[in-house]
Amino acid sequence: MTAAPDRYRPVRRMLARDQGESHRVSTPLELFFDLCFVVAIAQAGRELAHALAAGHLSVALTGYLMSFFAIWWAWMNFTWFASAYDVDDVPYRLTTLVQITGVLVLAAGIPRLFEDQNLTLSVAGYLLMRLAMVTQWLRAARSESGPGRTAALRYAAGITLVQAFWVVVVFVPHGLVAPLFPVGVIAELAVPVWAELHNPTPWHRHHIAERYGLFTIIVLGETVAAATVAIQTALDEHRAVSELLPIAAGGLLICFGAWWIYFAEDAHPYLRSVRQALPWGYGHYLIFASAAAVGAGLEVAVEHAVGAAHISDLAANAAVTVPTALFLFTVWALHSRHHKHGVAQLILPLAALSVLAATPAGAAGVPVAGLLVALAVAIGITLSAKNPKRS
């Protein structure tokens, strides 16, 4: 009788993967992990849309930035760890499923976070994800030696310490939550910088670029889904076809253009060191958050068009144009500026400014924004075709 394939062993040593491994692609477990995060993203987007439609800008921004940070940071930490230490054994899979459970608990707590900054349920889910991550790093530390062991122990210690801080935040007076939250964010962001200092983990740049690309697709897909549901609901209740079709067209152009722009260039050639990868990875908070916020903005625009949102035309358009412009500018900062030259270097920054300029355009704001994004794509394609080596 032949032995079972190595990857099916019940327990394996948590050894680092080869950074030069060929055909390193996302695993089914990673894809399942991403898909489950859609629940939390959808919840955050829904609450953002409701708060914006009600004219509660401060509540909307505070709740969204806080909840999306928890979603993104838990996803990011798993992604980079899995790029270096995915052994796909039974303990690894079970621990990952615990993390998925944590994001579902976090998602359940997002409405309370928006309503009155009640962090209890969201922090409970976040702790479940993060402490499960600690056990993964401790497994890696037991199997590693030298710099790899040092990095793993630093990650485990740093993550544990910051989670103790979040527990304290849950019990402080309500008025202190907002001032203390940025302190926790800075502490979370500092852990990888400290852990990777002189002890870089063996993440795989092709794998990381693919993982971020797949999550971008998921977020854009959620944006399309949210806008579709909003339009269908409005049609069922108001039958305002003439008002909704331009918004639908503009929203689709924005989503399609966002996909095209993000994947116009490969990211992995730029990810050659931790110094380059950390700002790139951290910067994707703005890409993911803005892409998801476009969907919420389209919901707001739809509600405003049928009279269900009692806000100004300017506010309704800004719910779409501001995150769209932020997406364009951040993609330029993280991707395009490293590959473009000459006039092509200016396309996305100018497109971002043009989209913002469309905000006061009344009922035409969203469709005009969509056309501007499509125009940016068309100009980029034309320049690339004329001068592929210098675009």
Side-chain angles (χ1 to χ4, degrees):
M1 182 179 292
T2 58
D6 186 62
R7 69 187 181 92
Y8 291 114
R9 289 180 183 174
V11 180
R12 303 172 63 186
R13 293 184 66 198
M14 185 76 83
L15 295 176
R17 298 188 65 148
D18 180 9
Q19 283 185 289
E21 180 181 350
S22 59
H23 306 294
R24 177 78 165 95
V25 296
S26 299
T27 66
L29 182 59
E30 288 176 314
L31 298 177
F32 182 49
F33 186 86
D34 289 359
L35 188 61
C36 291
F37 268 68
V38 171
V39 177
I41 294 171
Q43 190 77 286
R46 188 177 304 113
E47 294 299 323
L48 173 64
H50 291 167
L52 288 175
H56 301 150
L57 181 60
S58 177
V59 171
L61 293 180
T62 301
Y64 186 68
L65 294 176
M66 291 172 69
S67 59
F68 206 93
F69 174 81
I71 296 167
W72 162 75
W73 190 242
W75 175 88
M76 179 170 164
N77 276 244
F78 168 81
T79 296
W80 287 80
F81 178 88
S83 186
Y85 290 103
D86 183 359
V87 295
D88 197 32
D89 61 3
V90 172
Y92 180 87
R93 289 185 176 191
L94 291 176
T95 305
T96 302
L97 295 178
V98 170
Q99 291 175 272
I100 290 174
T101 304
V103 76
L104 299 179
V105 175
L106 169 65
I110 288 176
R112 299 182 183 183
L113 190 155
F114 270 82
E115 287 172 10
D116 56 7
Q117 293 187 6
N118 185 332
L119 301 178
T120 304
L121 194 55
S122 293
V123 168
Y126 186 71
L127 289 175
L128 195 57
M129 290 187 287
R130 302 298 281 135
L131 294 179
M133 194 76 257
V134 170
T135 67
Q136 298 280 45
W137 282 114
L138 290 175
R139 278 194 70 194
R142 285 196 298 269
S143 301
E144 283 279 20
S145 60
R149 176 178 171 81
T150 300
L153 289 175
R154 285 187 175 188
Y155 268 111
I159 293 171
T160 301
L161 184 61
V162 179
Q163 302 327 296
F165 173 84
W166 291 124
V167 172
V168 171
V169 170
V170 171
F171 295 99
V172 301
H174 179 79
L176 294 178
V177 171
L180 286 176
F181 191 84
V183 176
V185 169
I186 293 171
E188 290 277 15
L189 297 177
V191 171
V193 177
W194 173 59
E196 300 273 347
L197 185 64
H198 309 306
N199 310 289
T201 53
W203 46 272
H204 193 291
R205 60 183 180 138
H206 291 270
H207 176 247
I208 286 293
E210 183 196 38
R211 296 289 291 116
Y212 273 71
L214 289 173
F215 201 68
T216 301
I217 291 174
I218 286 176
V219 173
L220 289 174
E222 173 55 32
T223 292
V224 173
T228 301
V229 170
I231 290 172
Q232 182 60 57
T233 301
L235 287 173
D236 291 342
E237 296 180 359
H238 301 277
R239 303 184 183 278
V241 178
S242 60
E243 291 87 353
L244 298 181
L245 283 180
I247 297 174
L252 284 177
L253 286 175
I254 290 171
C255 291
F256 293 165
W259 172 83
W260 197 298
I261 288 166
Y262 184 90
F263 291 99
E265 303 289 347
D266 292 328
H268 65 81
Y270 178 68
L271 305 179
R272 300 182 184 278
S273 67
V274 173
R275 177 173 293 184
Q276 294 169 314
L278 279 180
W280 182 87
Y282 285 2
H284 269 74
Y285 170 74
L286 296 177
I287 288 181
F288 295 153
S290 60
V294 170
L298 290 172
E299 290 188 55
V300 174
V302 168
E303 291 187 24
H304 176 69
V306 298
H310 302 292
I311 55 177
S312 65
D313 289 348
L314 187 69
N317 287 338
V320 177
T321 59
V322 171
T324 300
L326 180 60
F327 179 90
L328 294 174
F329 182 81
T330 310
V331 171
W332 169 79
L334 297 181
H335 287 310
S336 299
R337 69 185 181 88
H338 303 295
H339 305 278
K340 303 295 184 181
H341 305 277
V343 176
Q345 180 74 267
L346 303 176
I347 295 174
L348 290 186
L350 290 177
L353 291 175
S354 299
V355 167
L356 285 177
T359 305
V366 174
V368 168
L371 289 172
L372 289 169
V373 173
L375 179 62
V377 172
I379 293 174
I381 293 172
T382 302
L383 291 177
S384 295
K386 288 182 177 180
N387 197 0
K389 294 183 179 180
R390 296 291 296 172
S391 62

